[in-house]
Every structure is written in structure tokens, then in C-alpha cells.
Amino acid sequence: MTNSVSSADLTVSLRDDASALAEQITDLRHRLHQEPEIGLELPRTQQKVLEALDGLGLEISTGTDTTSVTAVLRGTANTGGATGQTVLLRGDMDALPVQEKSGVSYASRIDGAMHACGHDLHTAMLVGAAQLLAARRDQLTGDVLFMFQPGEEGFDGASVMLREGVLDAAGRRPTAAYGLHVMSSMADGGSFLSRPGATMSSSDGLVVTVHGAGGHGSAPFAAKDPVPVAAEIVSALQAMVTRQFDVFDPVVLTVGVLRAGTKRNVVPETAHLEATIRSFSPAAKERLKSAIPQLIESIAAAHGLWASVEYIEEYPLTVTDAVETSFAQSTVRELFGEDRHQQMTHPLAGSEDFSRVLQEVPGAFLFLSAVPEGTDYRQSPYNHSPYAVFDDAVLPDGAATYARLALDRLNLAASN
Ligand SMILES: [Zn+2]
């Protein structure tokens, strides 16, 4: 590790340089925000990132199966014979199909698309970190791998980038991986939050069709009505969660789609429902995969109907490494003071495909509250809301954090 004097100097210089970049990365963030793109194909976003990284002396490659950007910064510090290692920093870049109502001056100009999860900030922060680190190339005892990722919002862009070979882009696998996520609620603006171990839930999907037999609404006995069966399934799923699963290993199940029928005096042929399922342990997930189809098929059969059940495994549990998380927490405290980091008491029921990276490389995931100053975080709209506002003020801190994580982690690796 760096000694305490140079560590304090590094804190001052990183914070100063990040502040000096504020205007530039805020401008980038606003341009990304005004032109949000959804999914795996983000050509205009990719173009903006490539322009912003131009001239920094990075080895840049773009995705073959998605509009990802992978950049490698080679450190030049004399490592005294130690073999240099690689640290991965990840920022996701995609937006959501949400109609923006936030009222900010740089609001989305694309109808039906909004950076409602703050990924525009992640992209700008990671560009800022690349600038801070490129200027400190001679202090880097290894390489930094920047992962600019599309398609986090349900498109599993991390898996696509893993298939594209992101982990091998620097020539050797990363020693550690760090991700960061801004929040429009959850804590006072500027607070960092993290925890070791399970940090975000795993996410699965459920698609069910109850197959009946259509008929006249006045003569349901001559039909097989799927509507009450679907209603019973919705209720039974909630009872299953509370009766079959340990309250200390929780499950969240929300039926977000329920559809049947065309006219009130017609018994429909089918009823359709879809749910999202969040769980916090591999054991709970395994049990859900068998318990849910059994429950639904049995209810349908009890009424003389049948149901097709599709259980779709989406994102795995996000599990951070205890040592890397403790390192990331001390990095935040070193940079911004003791009171800027809070240990999370429990995981979030949101899900993240950074979990895919953390299955391959030990790492940490930090939340950073971007609640605007003077706003009560308890009242402010959550991520994904059309009203969500993420404060530009956190951009330099996010960039400095990414940069410091890479600098210190490579030094740590070189000293071991
Ligand atoms: Zn997000």
C-alpha cells in the first residue's frame, strides 16, 4: 500500500483533478441523458464514449455482438520486478423505456426513452476515471480495464461482453472488479453504501398460460373458465412465499401481468399471467424452480384445466467479495472521510448483471446516492421512476472513486 503521506497527497490531487473535470463530465452526462438508448444497440452512446476516450492513449476495442466499449490503460510505474496485474472498472450505459417527467433542463429528447436508472452518470464517471488514470499512468503498477457495458436493463449485456472476451482484453484476467450504481433515493446525497456477500437479489421470470375452454358467460358449466383459476394462482403464489420460504431467506414475487378475455359475457379460452421473482440464496432459487410449477399445475388440474408454466432464470444473485468490499469501503473513507460510507444492513431486492462479472472475478459493488441537495431521500422518486433525478454533483466523486480503487488495488497487488 501507499504510505499515509502519499495517500493523503493522492486524495487531494485526485479530488482536485476530479473537480477540474466536473464541467466536462457533466456535459457528457447531459448529452447522454438527452439521447438515451435502450438495450444492446447503443450506437450514439458508443460514439460519445469513443470520442471522450480519444487521445488518452488507451487500447480500445468495440463489441462484436453489442455496442460495448472495452478500453485498456497500461500502467508504466516501475513495479520492482513484480508482475503487473489488472483491475476491471465497469460502467453500464443503457436507458429505459420510460417517458421522462423529471423536469430537468437536460431531459430526454427521445420519446419513450429515459436514463431513469442513472447509467448516464456511470458512463460519464467511468470516462472521468479514465482521464484521471491516464494522467497517472506512471503511478499505475498494472493495467486498468474499462468495461463500458450496454444492455444492463434486462438484456444481460454483461454476459454478452463476457462472451466477447472482456475479461481477457488486457491479456490477463483481472485480479479484482468494481462496479458502482447511483441511486435517486435510499440515502442522503453523496453517501456511499455497500456490503459484503449477497448485495442484490437474483431475478427470475414467470410466464403462465391457463388453458380452459371458451363459452357463454351465462353457462360457465358448459365451458372451462380459466379466469377464477388464474385468480387462485395469483393468491396461492403469495401464500406459497410466506408458507414455504424462511422469512430470513426472503422471496419477493410480484405478478405484473394478468390478462384474460375480450367481453364480459364470454368465457375466454385462456388466461395469461407473468411475474418477477427475487430471491437471496441459491437454495431459495432452486426451491422456487420446482415449487412454482408444481403449485400452478396442481391448481389448474384441481379445476380440470391445465397450465403451461415457463420459469426463466434471469440475473444471478450479486455476491461481492468480503475482502474487496472492505478494501472499497476504506478507499471511500480515505477519499471522502469516515461518514461518507454506510454499511448496508441487508441486500437490495433489485438485480444486476454485474453479478455475472462477480461470478468470475472477486470484486465489490458500491451504491452512491445522487439525491439532490436539499431533497429528502425518503420522499424522492426511486430509480426507474419517470420523476427520478440524479444530481450531477456526484460525478467527480464517482470518477475519483473508480480511479482510486484502481490505483490502490494495483499497488496492493504489487506489494504482495
Ligand atoms: Zn441500473
Side-chain angles (χ1 to χ4, degrees):
M1 275 307 277
T2 48
N3 66 43
S4 60
V5 175
S6 67
S7 170
D9 287 349
L10 182 57
T11 292
V12 172
S13 87
L14 268 179
R15 290 185 56 166
D16 285 354
D17 291 359
S19 297
L21 283 176
E23 201 176 322
Q24 203 182 333
I25 55 178
T26 301
D27 174 66
L28 173 60
R29 187 253 161 151
H30 288 182
R31 286 187 289 117
L32 291 164
H33 196 91
Q34 285 169 336
E35 213 175 359
E37 295 177 293
I38 297 165
L40 294 169
E41 294 305 313
L42 320 174
R44 291 185 295 268
T45 303
Q46 183 187 47
Q47 193 54 39
K48 291 183 185 78
V49 169
L50 291 173
E51 283 164 14
L53 297 179
D54 191 39
L56 295 179
L58 309 178
E59 295 168 18
I60 293 176
S61 52
T62 52
T64 47
D65 297 336
T66 178
T67 49
S68 60
V69 177
T70 301
V72 177
L73 174 63
R74 303 283 181 194
T76 57
N78 181 355
T79 57
T83 49
Q85 299 197 28
T86 301
V87 164
L88 182 150
L89 302 175
R90 179 269 207 165
D92 44 7
M93 308 192 287
D94 57 320
L96 283 157
V98 170
Q99 185 69 40
E100 180 154 8
K101 294 177 182 165
S102 70
V104 297
S105 60
Y106 52 87
S108 171
R109 292 174 180 169
I110 310 282
D111 215 28
M114 173 187 176
H115 269 293
C117 203
H119 299 184
D120 50 336
L121 286 89
H122 306 162
T123 308
M125 287 167 172
L126 198 54
V127 165
Q131 290 172 303
L132 294 170
L133 290 168
R136 288 170 178 77
R137 181 189 287 266
D138 60 351
Q139 295 172 42
L140 280 170
T141 54
D143 301 331
V144 185
L145 173 53
F146 299 92
M147 175 179 178
F148 290 93
Q149 184 210 304
E152 191 283 326
E153 297 287 358
F155 295 86
D156 208 351
S159 282
V160 181
M161 285 193 76
L162 290 172
R163 282 202 302 277
E164 288 172 347
V166 63
L167 295 183
D168 298 311
R172 60 178 111 75
R173 291 238 152 182
T175 304
Y178 304 106
L180 188 153
H181 206 301
V182 292
M183 300 297 291
S184 59
S185 139
M186 190 166 154
D188 284 326
S191 306
F192 287 83
L193 301 98
S194 68
R195 77 190 303 272
T199 298
M200 297 184 82
S201 65
S202 88
S203 159
D204 296 325
L206 180 66
V207 178
V208 178
T209 303
V210 180
H211 300 268
H216 201 292
S218 66
F221 59 89
K224 284 184 178 173
D225 190 352
V227 171
V229 177
E232 198 172 319
I233 288 169
V234 172
S235 302
L237 284 169
Q238 297 307 323
M240 176 205 71
V241 166
T242 65
R243 301 303 89 186
Q244 295 193 36
F245 289 86
D246 187 336
V247 67
F248 295 110
D249 185 9
V251 170
V252 178
L253 191 155
T254 295
V255 176
V257 174
L258 179 58
R259 244 191 334 255
T262 52
K263 197 162 168 30
R264 63 173 169 261
N265 67 349
V266 176
V267 174
E269 286 274 300
T270 59
H272 181 79
L273 62 96
E274 295 184 26
T276 186
I277 305 155
R278 309 301 168 107
S279 58
F280 298 88
S281 73
K285 187 180 179 113
E286 279 310 303
R287 175 129 181 68
L288 284 162
K289 277 161 58 181
S290 60
I292 287 179
Q294 188 194 355
L295 181 83
I296 293 172
E297 286 162 8
S298 302
I299 291 171
H303 293 281
L305 283 72
W306 70 280
S308 56
V309 182
E310 200 185 346
Y311 189 99
I312 305 154
E313 291 190 56
E314 295 171 347
Y315 292 169
L317 197 63
T318 301
V319 184
T320 63
D321 181 80
V323 175
E324 296 299 343
T325 300
S326 150
F327 165 76
Q329 293 175 351
S330 56
T331 301
V332 167
R333 294 191 176 110
E334 188 95 35
L335 266 176
F336 306 113
E338 279 300 314
D339 57 344
R340 284 285 295 276
H341 183 273
Q342 299 171 29
Q343 177 96 357
M344 293 160 68
T345 53
H346 55 76
L348 285 192
S351 305
E352 244 300 333
D353 66 358
F354 190 59
S355 53
R356 304 277 189 202
V357 176
L358 293 177
Q359 285 180 329
E360 303 290 328
V361 181
F365 196 65
L366 291 165
F367 295 98
L368 169 56
S369 171
V371 173
E373 204 181 336
T375 304
D376 182 352
Y377 72 85
R378 294 169 208 86
Q379 313 290 333
S380 54
Y382 209 80
N383 289 36
H384 291 203
S385 161
Y387 298 96
V389 175
F390 300 87
D391 195 353
D392 293 326
V394 301
L395 288 167
D397 289 359
T401 302
Y402 271 132
R404 184 72 187 256
L405 285 167
L407 278 160
D408 283 0
R409 187 62 185 83
L410 289 171
N411 271 334
L412 187 65
S415 68
N416 282 342

